[in-house]
Amino acid sequence: MNKPVLTIVVPCYNEQEVLIETASQLSGVLNELISDFLISKESKILFVDDGSKDRTWELIEKESEKNPFVKGIKLARNVGHQNALIAGLETASKQSDCVISIDADLQDDINVIRTFVEKYWEGFDIVYGVRDSRETDTFFKRTTALGFYRFMEKIGIKLVPNHADFRLMSKRALDELLKYKETNLFLRGLVPLLGFPSTKVYYDRKERFAGESKYPLKKMLAFAFDGITSFSVAPIRFVTFLGFLSVIFSAIAGGYALIQEILGHTESGWTSLMVSIWFVGGLQLMGIGIIGEYIGKIYSEVKRRPRYAIEMDIFSSNESGNHQKEAVLNKGR
């Protein structure tokens, strides 16, 4: 059996502090796997610059000139983590037998990449990297994450608990994934739908090597709500937020009205009228907001806009210095 060509896809957004170290550590992993005859010497590391504002692309170019493993693509603008990841996966699928996706911050344990590849040799098309525990998280983050996974399971959505986007996919699994043409990507939900033989590899998540997290609380909550959505649904989200506020105020007003009733300071019927107006009004706004969320997603999907545009490509070219300067649009995806 021929040794598989492995491409490690690394989405990057303002990762200048960690990029050189990431390239060095991943290159070491590839060297070891090649020496042990587990992967082909044609294997690569593909950095995807998601419209960074710092020196990320400059560093990718410099690394590609001196490190034969390092390749890169530069997106024309920031399109978000999930779209940047799918851009890298689609680019890598053309020249790879299997692909591993991993974030640039070195929090995922690169030592288990060997186990990923060994599982691939055993016949698994998808290998999920799963956190062994969440003890390093804050109480709030740990509790909300576990609650999110339980909730998604309750409503019938298959997710791999404690799995982010650290995974291996075979070429046939990746080709099937690329047939999904959603604009609003949530890869953690899409990959389990493929149905190919899969397994899990557990690891301990590390502290970020350098730089700052690109997922503050606000982004994590939005991602948990519906993954990646376009900016055009923001006004609808605002209406939903007003609905929730109305429900909260209705509860406060209801409590106040009950106190007034107990103290005998109200006319007959005033309490029930106040509670019903506030509560029903809040529920209506919530309902309109939720329906609007789905309409907004339909609006995003039917436009069929490309998910990304590649400004520069030093992966597809045979020589690392031969950059493709023109923009390359992803056809229909």
Side-chain angles (χ1 to χ4, degrees), residues 102 106-114 116 166 202-206:
I102 185 172
L106 294 176
Q107 288 188 279
D108 296 317
D109 187 1
I110 64 172
N111 295 315
V112 301
I113 290 177
R114 169 181 285 273
F116 281 14
F166 185 30
Y202 292 89
Y203 69 97
D204 291 322
R205 191 169 173 84
K206 304 176 182 178

Side-chain angles (χ1 to χ4, degrees), residues 52-217:
S52 297
K53 299 177 181 178
D54 60 4
R55 297 176 58 243
T56 294
W57 179 247
E58 178 186 339
L59 295 176
I60 292 172
E61 287 185 304
K62 289 182 178 179
E63 278 296 301
S64 70
E65 293 171 359
K66 60 183 181 181
N67 186 337
F69 289 130
V70 173
K71 301 294 180 182
I73 57 175
K74 176 178 173 58
L75 303 186
R77 64 180 180 86
N78 178 255
V79 295
H81 180 273
Q82 298 287 278
N83 284 319
L85 179 54
I86 205 70
L89 293 175
E90 186 163 20
T91 302
S93 69
K94 303 167 186 175
Q95 302 181 22
S96 310
D97 298 307
C98 56
V99 174
I100 291 176
S101 57
I102 185 172
D103 289 338
D105 55 19
L106 294 176
Q107 288 188 279
D108 296 317
D109 187 1
I110 64 172
N111 295 315
V112 301
I113 290 177
R114 169 181 285 273
T115 310
F116 281 14
V117 176
E118 290 172 349
K119 294 296 183 182
Y120 171 81
W121 277 96
E122 291 175 15
F124 291 101
D125 288 281
I126 304 172
V127 184
Y128 298 103
V130 180
R131 295 179 63 174
D132 199 29
S133 70
R134 304 189 72 101
E135 295 302 321
T136 57
D137 289 346
T138 63
F139 174 79
F140 175 79
K141 186 174 181 180
R142 182 168 60 252
T143 304
T144 53
L146 294 176
F148 169 71
Y149 287 120
R150 291 195 187 102
F151 176 75
M152 296 296 274
E153 184 180 2
K154 288 288 185 182
I155 61 177
I157 298 178
K158 290 183 61 178
L159 293 180
V160 178
N162 296 322
H163 163 71
D165 289 303
F166 185 30
R167 69 177 75 89
L168 176 145
M169 299 183 69
S170 68
K171 182 172 176 56
R172 70 169 181 168
L174 183 55
D175 287 344
E176 288 301 314
L177 176 65
L178 294 177
K179 293 179 182 178
Y180 288 77
K181 305 182 187 301
E182 283 95 330
T183 298
N184 298 283
L185 282 173
F186 187 50
L187 293 176
R188 300 178 198 184
L190 286 178
V191 174
L193 292 178
L194 300 179
F196 290 101
S198 61
T199 188
K200 302 174 185 175
V201 173
Y202 292 89
Y203 69 97
D204 291 322
R205 191 169 173 84
K206 304 176 182 178
E207 293 294 327
R208 184 180 177 88
F209 180 81
E212 298 179 353
S213 172
K214 305 306 183 293
Y215 266 87
L217 177 61

Side-chain angles (χ1 to χ4, degrees), residues 7 46 122 191 224 239 272:
T7 299
L46 174 59
E122 291 175 15
V191 174
V239 173
S272 58

